[in-house]
Amino acid sequence: MSTFFAPETMRTDRFVLRSWMPGDGAALREASVSSYEHLRPWLGWAVEDEPIEVAEARVRRFRARWLLNEDYVVGIWSPDGQRVLGGTGFHLRDGFGWADGVAEIGMWIRGSEANQGLGTAVLSAMLSWGFTEWPWQRLSWHCDARNVASRRVAEHVGMPLEGTLHGEPAHDGRGRRETMVFGLTRDAHAARAVS
Ligand SMILES: CC(C)(COP(=O)(O)OP(=O)(O)OC[C@H]1O[C@@H](n2cnc3c(N)ncnc32)[C@H](O)[C@@H]1OP(=O)(O)O)[C@@H](O)C(=O)NCCC(=O)NCCS
């Protein structure tokens, strides 16, 4: 298998998408801890507080896994690169590697920036970036059916709903949830761009 060098950065007028780097831990911690109440209902990793060293170890692990082509966790930064607006990523699931061409997009937007169209803009950018500079043939978005904002974002960018998975474990490990799966292929995305 040939070596894959993942694209590092995408810029728009509103945000910069890039790999987390050593040294980003404090900024990640500030954004995620201040968003705790917003994230807690939907994301199992959200914590009320986190020592900076733990956050720093987290970004270093993200970077290591990026370089090893194991997972691609992306920071969403303000255009001047000073403030974390959230996080996203191309996540490899079900034992697939980058060469299989399938990934799941995840996302969180910091509480103070939510509900202002940013999640929709970032998902749209991730699809464009993912189907041009990255080798993805298929990108998916999975959301708890009760998570209206997440569902709305997928609908806004025109990812078709492919189905609903019943009885999946809820993110907190307690109870079950319905998971809506949205998906788009590279060909369908390209066809939409020319039509
Ligand atoms: C889901 C998330 C990424 C969306 O990002 P965002 O920047 O808030 O999204 P946008 O502002 O682009 O769009 C949100 C849409 O949901 C709607 N919405 C938000 N909360 C809602 C609610 N409780 N009920 C109904 N609609 C709601 C908004 O009105 C908007 O739709 P509209 O443009 O048609 O009015 C963000 O809210 C978030 O980080 N949530 C917590 C973590 C999470 O759930 N991640 C996704 C896991 S799959």
Side-chain angles (χ1 to χ4, degrees), residues 38 107-109 115-117 119-120 142 147-150 152 156:
H38 169 62
M107 194 186 300
W108 60 278
I109 296 294
N115 252 321
Q116 297 165 49
T120 301
H142 291 218
N147 190 343
V148 183
S150 177
R152 293 293 298 139
H156 275 319

Side-chain angles (χ1 to χ4, degrees), residues 102-122:
V102 295
E104 179 184 327
I105 299 177
M107 194 186 300
W108 60 278
I109 296 294
R110 69 181 291 151
S112 59
E113 305 290 332
N115 252 321
Q116 297 165 49
L118 182 60
T120 301
V122 170

Side-chain angles (χ1 to χ4, degrees), residues 142-143 145 161-168 177-181:
H142 291 218
C143 83
L161 174 65
E162 297 179 326
T164 301
L165 307 177
H166 304 291
E168 287 232 292
R177 71 174 210 185
E178 306 282 283
T179 303
M180 299 173 81
V181 180

